[in-house]
Amino acid sequence: MNYILLGPPGAGKGTQAKKIVEYFAIVHLSTGDMFREAKKSNEALSKFLSSGQLVPDEIVINMIKERLEKDDIKKGFLFDGFPRTIKQTEELEIILKSKNLKIDAVFLINIYFEEVIKRITGRRVCECGTSYNIGMIPSKEDGKCDRCGRKLIQRNDDKEDVAKERFTVYGKQTKPLIGYYKKIGLLVNIEGAKDEKDVFEQIKRHIKAKNDK
Ligand SMILES: [Zn+2]
């Protein structure tokens, strides 16, 4: 059971990733988490991340290579945030082949641009770590945290123009990957404009159908 999860920012990828790895007891390979961890000891990486630049393929690939050396991945794994480029996709193929491993499916959470922008720009967060969404999970009192009463804020990343830019970058980067995985028959389209339970059900159904054979 080895999978890749793709989807634009705001599609609920993080939530789905958590559900999948918990339900199927596989390992969550999140490049976001790996970056945060590696940043502490890797100065070059730290520089890229704090400048908001894309981390070069070589650094990402080496990190993945190292991670795949660990024994726990034998339980199965889910890539989240990787691969991002065609170069990364091809390198991953080589690494997996050398270990006699393969990807079983690539889940693509499809969601319209308008829906994503609505979700992202509706996000509000509190210093205490609680997050809300104006349309979906509002706080009881407008602009105030239910847990601690502090004022809710909108992160810079969630402002409309930044959100649009992130979506555009995602589209440009990911399109070739989608084509690649479609061509080799691994792509599974997931309807993402539903609530998180429905989205997970679609993924679960697919994994179960494949593994019950
Ligand atoms: Zn709070």
Side-chain angles (χ1 to χ4, degrees), residues 126-130 132 145-150 152:
C126 175
E127 268 176 69
C128 76
T130 319
Y132 301 88
C145 180
D146 295 348
R147 262 173 70 187
C148 70
R150 266 181 280 205
L152 299 180

mmCIF file with all atom_site columns, all heavy atoms in Angstrom, residues 126-130 132 145-150 152, ligand 1:
data_model
loop_
_atom_site.group_PDB
_atom_site.id
_atom_site.type_symbol
_atom_site.label_atom_id
_atom_site.label_alt_id
_atom_site.label_comp_id
_atom_site.label_asym_id
_atom_site.label_entity_id
_atom_site.label_seq_id
_atom_site.pdbx_PDB_ins_code
_atom_site.Cartn_x
_atom_site.Cartn_y
_atom_site.Cartn_z
_atom_site.occupancy
_atom_site.B_iso_or_equiv
_atom_site.pdbx_formal_charge
_atom_site.auth_seq_id
_atom_site.auth_comp_id
_atom_site.auth_asym_id
_atom_site.auth_atom_id
_atom_site.pdbx_PDB_model_num
ATOM   1  N  N   . CYS A 1 126 ? -6.202  31.560 15.553 1.00 0.00 ? 126 CYS A N   1
ATOM   2  C  CA  . CYS A 1 126 ? -5.974  32.213 16.845 1.00 0.00 ? 126 CYS A CA  1
ATOM   3  C  C   . CYS A 1 126 ? -4.566  31.855 17.313 1.00 0.00 ? 126 CYS A C   1
ATOM   4  O  O   . CYS A 1 126 ? -4.040  30.803 16.970 1.00 0.00 ? 126 CYS A O   1
ATOM   5  C  CB  . CYS A 1 126 ? -7.001  31.722 17.856 1.00 0.00 ? 126 CYS A CB  1
ATOM   6  S  SG  . CYS A 1 126 ? -6.696  32.373 19.498 1.00 0.00 ? 126 CYS A SG  1
ATOM   7  N  N   . GLU A 1 127 ? -3.986  32.726 18.082 1.00 0.00 ? 127 GLU A N   1
ATOM   8  C  CA  . GLU A 1 127 ? -2.651  32.492 18.651 1.00 0.00 ? 127 GLU A CA  1
ATOM   9  C  C   . GLU A 1 127 ? -2.581  31.196 19.445 1.00 0.00 ? 127 GLU A C   1
ATOM   10 O  O   . GLU A 1 127 ? -1.526  30.600 19.573 1.00 0.00 ? 127 GLU A O   1
ATOM   11 C  CB  . GLU A 1 127 ? -2.309  33.634 19.620 1.00 0.00 ? 127 GLU A CB  1
ATOM   12 C  CG  . GLU A 1 127 ? -1.573  34.793 19.000 1.00 0.00 ? 127 GLU A CG  1
ATOM   13 C  CD  . GLU A 1 127 ? -1.387  35.892 20.039 1.00 0.00 ? 127 GLU A CD  1
ATOM   14 O  OE1 . GLU A 1 127 ? -0.614  35.667 20.973 1.00 0.00 ? 127 GLU A OE1 1
ATOM   15 O  OE2 . GLU A 1 127 ? -2.056  36.935 19.910 1.00 0.00 ? 127 GLU A OE2 1
ATOM   16 N  N   . CYS A 1 128 ? -3.726  30.771 19.990 1.00 0.00 ? 128 CYS A N   1
ATOM   17 C  CA  . CYS A 1 128 ? -3.724  29.556 20.819 1.00 0.00 ? 128 CYS A CA  1
ATOM   18 C  C   . CYS A 1 128 ? -3.674  28.296 19.968 1.00 0.00 ? 128 CYS A C   1
ATOM   19 O  O   . CYS A 1 128 ? -3.617  27.184 20.497 1.00 0.00 ? 128 CYS A O   1
ATOM   20 C  CB  . CYS A 1 128 ? -4.945  29.518 21.736 1.00 0.00 ? 128 CYS A CB  1
ATOM   21 S  SG  . CYS A 1 128 ? -6.487  29.087 20.921 1.00 0.00 ? 128 CYS A SG  1
ATOM   22 N  N   . GLY A 1 129 ? -3.708  28.445 18.638 1.00 0.00 ? 129 GLY A N   1
ATOM   23 C  CA  . GLY A 1 129 ? -3.573  27.279 17.757 1.00 0.00 ? 129 GLY A CA  1
ATOM   24 C  C   . GLY A 1 129 ? -4.886  26.786 17.182 1.00 0.00 ? 129 GLY A C   1
ATOM   25 O  O   . GLY A 1 129 ? -4.904  25.870 16.369 1.00 0.00 ? 129 GLY A O   1
ATOM   26 N  N   . THR A 1 130 ? -5.992  27.375 17.594 1.00 0.00 ? 130 THR A N   1
ATOM   27 C  CA  . THR A 1 130 ? -7.283  26.950 17.057 1.00 0.00 ? 130 THR A CA  1
ATOM   28 C  C   . THR A 1 130 ? -7.526  27.631 15.712 1.00 0.00 ? 130 THR A C   1
ATOM   29 O  O   . THR A 1 130 ? -7.176  28.790 15.536 1.00 0.00 ? 130 THR A O   1
ATOM   30 C  CB  . THR A 1 130 ? -8.426  27.376 18.017 1.00 0.00 ? 130 THR A CB  1
ATOM   31 O  OG1 . THR A 1 130 ? -7.994  27.144 19.355 1.00 0.00 ? 130 THR A OG1 1
ATOM   32 C  CG2 . THR A 1 130 ? -9.686  26.580 17.760 1.00 0.00 ? 130 THR A CG2 1
ATOM   33 N  N   . TYR A 1 132 ? -10.381 28.372 12.418 1.00 0.00 ? 132 TYR A N   1
ATOM   34 C  CA  . TYR A 1 132 ? -11.797 28.479 12.064 1.00 0.00 ? 132 TYR A CA  1
ATOM   35 C  C   . TYR A 1 132 ? -11.917 28.739 10.578 1.00 0.00 ? 132 TYR A C   1
ATOM   36 O  O   . TYR A 1 132 ? -10.941 29.013 9.898  1.00 0.00 ? 132 TYR A O   1
ATOM   37 C  CB  . TYR A 1 132 ? -12.433 29.656 12.822 1.00 0.00 ? 132 TYR A CB  1
ATOM   38 C  CG  . TYR A 1 132 ? -12.327 29.523 14.314 1.00 0.00 ? 132 TYR A CG  1
ATOM   39 C  CD1 . TYR A 1 132 ? -11.200 30.008 14.976 1.00 0.00 ? 132 TYR A CD1 1
ATOM   40 C  CD2 . TYR A 1 132 ? -13.322 28.908 15.055 1.00 0.00 ? 132 TYR A CD2 1
ATOM   41 C  CE1 . TYR A 1 132 ? -11.076 29.873 16.351 1.00 0.00 ? 132 TYR A CE1 1
ATOM   42 C  CE2 . TYR A 1 132 ? -13.211 28.775 16.427 1.00 0.00 ? 132 TYR A CE2 1
ATOM   43 C  CZ  . TYR A 1 132 ? -12.084 29.263 17.071 1.00 0.00 ? 132 TYR A CZ  1
ATOM   44 O  OH  . TYR A 1 132 ? -11.963 29.126 18.427 1.00 0.00 ? 132 TYR A OH  1
ATOM   45 N  N   . CYS A 1 145 ? -12.040 34.003 19.377 1.00 0.00 ? 145 CYS A N   1
ATOM   46 C  CA  . CYS A 1 145 ? -11.781 32.578 19.575 1.00 0.00 ? 145 CYS A CA  1
ATOM   47 C  C   . CYS A 1 145 ? -12.712 31.989 20.630 1.00 0.00 ? 145 CYS A C   1
ATOM   48 O  O   . CYS A 1 145 ? -12.871 32.555 21.702 1.00 0.00 ? 145 CYS A O   1
ATOM   49 C  CB  . CYS A 1 145 ? -10.326 32.390 20.001 1.00 0.00 ? 145 CYS A CB  1
ATOM   50 S  SG  . CYS A 1 145 ? -9.884  30.674 20.282 1.00 0.00 ? 145 CYS A SG  1
ATOM   51 N  N   . ASP A 1 146 ? -13.320 30.826 20.309 1.00 0.00 ? 146 ASP A N   1
ATOM   52 C  CA  . ASP A 1 146 ? -14.202 30.158 21.262 1.00 0.00 ? 146 ASP A CA  1
ATOM   53 C  C   . ASP A 1 146 ? -13.445 29.684 22.488 1.00 0.00 ? 146 ASP A C   1
ATOM   54 O  O   . ASP A 1 146 ? -13.982 29.636 23.585 1.00 0.00 ? 146 ASP A O   1
ATOM   55 C  CB  . ASP A 1 146 ? -14.852 28.913 20.615 1.00 0.00 ? 146 ASP A CB  1
ATOM   56 C  CG  . ASP A 1 146 ? -15.785 29.288 19.476 1.00 0.00 ? 146 ASP A CG  1
ATOM   57 O  OD1 . ASP A 1 146 ? -16.105 30.485 19.348 1.00 0.00 ? 146 ASP A OD1 1
ATOM   58 O  OD2 . ASP A 1 146 ? -16.177 28.370 18.725 1.00 0.00 ? 146 ASP A OD2 1
ATOM   59 N  N   . ARG A 1 147 ? -12.194 29.298 22.273 1.00 0.00 ? 147 ARG A N   1
ATOM   60 C  CA  . ARG A 1 147 ? -11.441 28.682 23.367 1.00 0.00 ? 147 ARG A CA  1
ATOM   61 C  C   . ARG A 1 147 ? -10.855 29.691 24.335 1.00 0.00 ? 147 ARG A C   1
ATOM   62 O  O   . ARG A 1 147 ? -10.843 29.481 25.540 1.00 0.00 ? 147 ARG A O   1
ATOM   63 C  CB  . ARG A 1 147 ? -10.326 27.804 22.806 1.00 0.00 ? 147 ARG A CB  1
ATOM   64 C  CG  . ARG A 1 147 ? -10.740 26.336 22.773 1.00 0.00 ? 147 ARG A CG  1
ATOM   65 C  CD  . ARG A 1 147 ? -9.739  25.488 22.073 1.00 0.00 ? 147 ARG A CD  1
ATOM   66 N  NE  . ARG A 1 147 ? -8.489  25.333 22.806 1.00 0.00 ? 147 ARG A NE  1
ATOM   67 C  CZ  . ARG A 1 147 ? -7.429  24.733 22.290 1.00 0.00 ? 147 ARG A CZ  1
ATOM   68 N  NH1 . ARG A 1 147 ? -7.466  24.276 21.073 1.00 0.00 ? 147 ARG A NH1 1
ATOM   69 N  NH2 . ARG A 1 147 ? -6.332  24.601 22.991 1.00 0.00 ? 147 ARG A NH2 1
ATOM   70 N  N   . CYS A 1 148 ? -10.309 30.794 23.777 1.00 0.00 ? 148 CYS A N   1
ATOM   71 C  CA  . CYS A 1 148 ? -9.590  31.700 24.676 1.00 0.00 ? 148 CYS A CA  1
ATOM   72 C  C   . CYS A 1 148 ? -10.058 33.152 24.571 1.00 0.00 ? 148 CYS A C   1
ATOM   73 O  O   . CYS A 1 148 ? -9.622  33.999 25.339 1.00 0.00 ? 148 CYS A O   1
ATOM   74 C  CB  . CYS A 1 148 ? -8.091  31.601 24.423 1.00 0.00 ? 148 CYS A CB  1
ATOM   75 S  SG  . CYS A 1 148 ? -7.609  32.302 22.844 1.00 0.00 ? 148 CYS A SG  1
ATOM   76 N  N   . GLY A 1 149 ? -10.957 33.434 23.619 1.00 0.00 ? 149 GLY A N   1
ATOM   77 C  CA  . GLY A 1 149 ? -11.518 34.783 23.550 1.00 0.00 ? 149 GLY A CA  1
ATOM   78 C  C   . GLY A 1 149 ? -10.657 35.807 22.835 1.00 0.00 ? 149 GLY A C   1
ATOM   79 O  O   . GLY A 1 149 ? -11.041 36.955 22.692 1.00 0.00 ? 149 GLY A O   1
ATOM   80 N  N   . ARG A 1 150 ? -9.454  35.383 22.400 1.00 0.00 ? 150 ARG A N   1
ATOM   81 C  CA  . ARG A 1 150 ? -8.600  36.345 21.690 1.00 0.00 ? 150 ARG A CA  1
ATOM   82 C  C   . ARG A 1 150 ? -9.148  36.664 20.304 1.00 0.00 ? 150 ARG A C   1
ATOM   83 O  O   . ARG A 1 150 ? -9.971  35.922 19.772 1.00 0.00 ? 150 ARG A O   1
ATOM   84 C  CB  . ARG A 1 150 ? -7.182  35.774 21.550 1.00 0.00 ? 150 ARG A CB  1
ATOM   85 C  CG  . ARG A 1 150 ? -6.270  36.239 22.682 1.00 0.00 ? 150 ARG A CG  1
ATOM   86 C  CD  . ARG A 1 150 ? -4.885  35.678 22.509 1.00 0.00 ? 150 ARG A CD  1
ATOM   87 N  NE  . ARG A 1 150 ? -4.869  34.288 22.996 1.00 0.00 ? 150 ARG A NE  1
ATOM   88 C  CZ  . ARG A 1 150 ? -3.778  33.662 23.433 1.00 0.00 ? 150 ARG A CZ  1
ATOM   89 N  NH1 . ARG A 1 150 ? -2.631  34.281 23.430 1.00 0.00 ? 150 ARG A NH1 1
ATOM   90 N  NH2 . ARG A 1 150 ? -3.830  32.421 23.854 1.00 0.00 ? 150 ARG A NH2 1
ATOM   91 N  N   . LEU A 1 152 ? -9.340  36.822 16.393 1.00 0.00 ? 152 LEU A N   1
ATOM   92 C  CA  . LEU A 1 152 ? -8.881  35.926 15.327 1.00 0.00 ? 152 LEU A CA  1
ATOM   93 C  C   . LEU A 1 152 ? -8.183  36.728 14.232 1.00 0.00 ? 152 LEU A C   1
ATOM   94 O  O   . LEU A 1 152 ? -8.557  37.869 13.956 1.00 0.00 ? 152 LEU A O   1
ATOM   95 C  CB  . LEU A 1 152 ? -10.068 35.181 14.717 1.00 0.00 ? 152 LEU A CB  1
ATOM   96 C  CG  . LEU A 1 152 ? -10.844 34.285 15.673 1.00 0.00 ? 152 LEU A CG  1
ATOM   97 C  CD1 . LEU A 1 152 ? -11.997 33.607 14.940 1.00 0.00 ? 152 LEU A CD1 1
ATOM   98 C  CD2 . LEU A 1 152 ? -9.936  33.234 16.298 1.00 0.00 ? 152 LEU A CD2 1
HETATM 99 ZN ZN  . ZN  B 2 .   ? -7.739  31.053 20.950 1.00 0.00 ? 1   ZN  B ZN  1
#
